[in-house]
Amino acid sequence: MQGEGDGDPGDADGDLGDGEPGDGDLGDGDGDGDGDGHEPPCESMHEGMICIPAGPFIMGSNGLGFLEEREIPEQVVYLSQFHIDRHEVTFGEYRLCVEAGNCSPPVAEDPNDLRTFGCRWGNEGIDAYPVACVDWLQALEYCNARGAELPTEAQWEKAGRGTDGRDYAWGNEAPTCFYASMANETFGDQDPHEGWGCDTGMPERPGSHSPQGDSPYGVQDMVGNVGEVVADWLGPGQPNLGADPTGPDSGTFKVGKGGSYVASQLDDASGGYLHLAWRAQSGGPVPGSQLGCGIGFRCVVSE
């Protein structure tokens, strides 16, 4: 969903040794997964959230995706400190917001409307699973009711990748059901839906692939399960995003991140949807443009 990204990292190859935007080396990029080698650790006072320290990180890719023009050219971006939900917002958490009168209900499945396939609002036993079938404005309203916001694309990506430019939350090893809720290799059998969500046919409970699938900061399910809508409008590629970027002022679609339980390793082997630089087309500008059963969200508090 980026425009004409040519893979040029712009001026992001300078020296970042002092932790300021635009002038340092982020390190040896050895993928050791510590995530904090160039930034002091911080703790979150916000329940259920993880603190992501201020500092630079490597964002985007130089053409990993099968639609490489959607991915920001790989570059160094500097972010201020923020706090992000450890796990995706669940139906149970969202239900409390509805019952308090601060949120509107998600879409429920309607057998006469294929667009609602897999939407589970109103079903028994769903509280522990990630909420889906809300539009991006409903997601924003939920976060606002908590005194939070939707993450920017840059915040989301740093929380998932750490500082070493890895492709996935756990490193650069290809995605499997050991690490993430995704479709297995039997995708396309007699009933392909059965292969979704690591043979569950649906998203899994947040943290089902923790700790091995966690990000360097301990954030869960940044790959697979449900994709996640973020605050940024989808716009053309920019080789120099600078500090704390927030995306275009307007657009037709929001950015979606992380892939979902219906994406497979076969998809990603072709440069598909599960690597963290991938930018999906999510949620239009009109209220009621619900995002479907494979898209959810999480919240951030910025400082």
Side-chain angles (χ1 to χ4, degrees), residues 142-165:
Y142 170 87
C143 292
N144 288 171
R146 283 178 42 189
E149 300 283 345
L150 285 173
T152 65
E153 181 179 7
Q155 287 174 328
W156 189 98
E157 197 165 321
K158 182 177 182 181
R161 298 179 80 175
T163 61
D164 59 14

Side-chain angles (χ1 to χ4, degrees), residues 199-214:
D199 297 315
T200 67
M202 63 184 191
E204 297 181 84
R205 296 185 181 205
S208 293
H209 299 267
S210 181
Q212 68 272 16
D214 293 352

Side-chain angles (χ1 to χ4, degrees), residues 20 46 74 93 98 101 114-115 126 157-158 164 169 175 180 183 207 232-234 244-246 251-252 260 272 278 299:
E20 291 302 321
H46 302 278
E74 184 176 287
E93 290 166 334
V98 172
L114 290 177
R115 295 174 299 177
I126 64 168
E157 197 165 321
K158 182 177 182 181
D164 59 14
D232 294 23
W233 290 108
L234 189 61
D244 295 317
T246 57
T252 303
S260 77
W278 167 246
C299 305

Side-chain angles (χ1 to χ4, degrees), residues 107-134:
V107 172
E109 186 163 12
D110 180 349
N112 297 313
D113 187 347
L114 290 177
R115 295 174 299 177
T116 68
F117 173 79
C119 293
R120 297 191 289 157
W121 179 251
N123 292 3
E124 294 290 331
I126 64 168
D127 275 6
Y129 292 85
V131 70
C133 298
V134 294

Side-chain angles (χ1 to χ4, degrees), residues 203-226:
E204 297 181 84
R205 296 185 181 205
S208 293
H209 299 267
S210 181
Q212 68 272 16
D214 293 352
S215 84
Y217 301 106
V219 186
Q220 299 173 342
D221 298 306
M222 298 295 277
V223 176
N225 216 29
V226 291

Side-chain angles (χ1 to χ4, degrees), residues 46-269:
H46 302 278
E47 184 177 358
M49 287 187 153
I50 290 177
C51 182
I52 309 299
F57 81 108
I58 299 171
M59 183 173 179
S61 81
N62 289 327
L64 182 63
F66 72 92
L67 291 173
E68 65 179 78
E69 70 275 10
R70 289 188 173 184
E71 296 185 7
I72 297 170
E74 184 176 287
Q75 62 188 285
V76 172
V77 172
Y78 183 92
L79 292 181
S80 302
Q81 181 172 293
F82 64 96
H83 309 261
I84 191 165
D85 285 342
R86 180 184 298 275
H87 63 74
E88 296 151 335
V89 173
T90 65
F91 274 107
E93 290 166 334
Y94 193 91
R95 177 177 54 78
L96 294 177
C97 188
V98 172
E99 291 174 349
N102 295 320
C103 296
S104 55
V107 172
E109 186 163 12
D110 180 349
N112 297 313
D113 187 347
L114 290 177
R115 295 174 299 177
T116 68
F117 173 79
C119 293
R120 297 191 289 157
W121 179 251
N123 292 3
E124 294 290 331
I126 64 168
D127 275 6
Y129 292 85
V131 70
C133 298
V134 294
D135 64 38
W136 73 267
L137 283 173
Q138 288 176 298
L140 178 59
E141 287 168 355
Y142 170 87
C143 292
N144 288 171
R146 283 178 42 189
E149 300 283 345
L150 285 173
T152 65
E153 181 179 7
Q155 287 174 328
W156 189 98
E157 197 165 321
K158 182 177 182 181
R161 298 179 80 175
T163 61
D164 59 14
R166 61 185 58 201
D167 293 335
Y168 310 102
W170 54 86
N172 293 316
E173 185 177 341
T176 67
C177 279
F178 177 68
Y179 293 116
S181 178
M182 54 186 282
N184 66 22
E185 296 289 350
T186 65
F187 185 79
D189 284 354
Q190 286 185 336
D191 185 355
H193 301 159
E194 292 181 358
W196 291 351
C198 299
D199 297 315
T200 67
M202 63 184 191
E204 297 181 84
R205 296 185 181 205
S208 293
H209 299 267
S210 181
Q212 68 272 16
D214 293 352
S215 84
Y217 301 106
V219 186
Q220 299 173 342
D221 298 306
M222 298 295 277
V223 176
N225 216 29
V226 291
E228 299 176 29
V229 66
V230 297
D232 294 23
W233 290 108
L234 189 61
Q238 300 177 55
N240 296 289
L241 289 174
D244 295 317
T246 57
D249 292 334
S250 61
T252 303
F253 295 98
K254 292 288 187 176
V255 176
K257 300 290 284 184
S260 77
Y261 70 103
V262 305
S264 73
Q265 183 178 343
L266 295 178
D267 291 332
D268 213 60

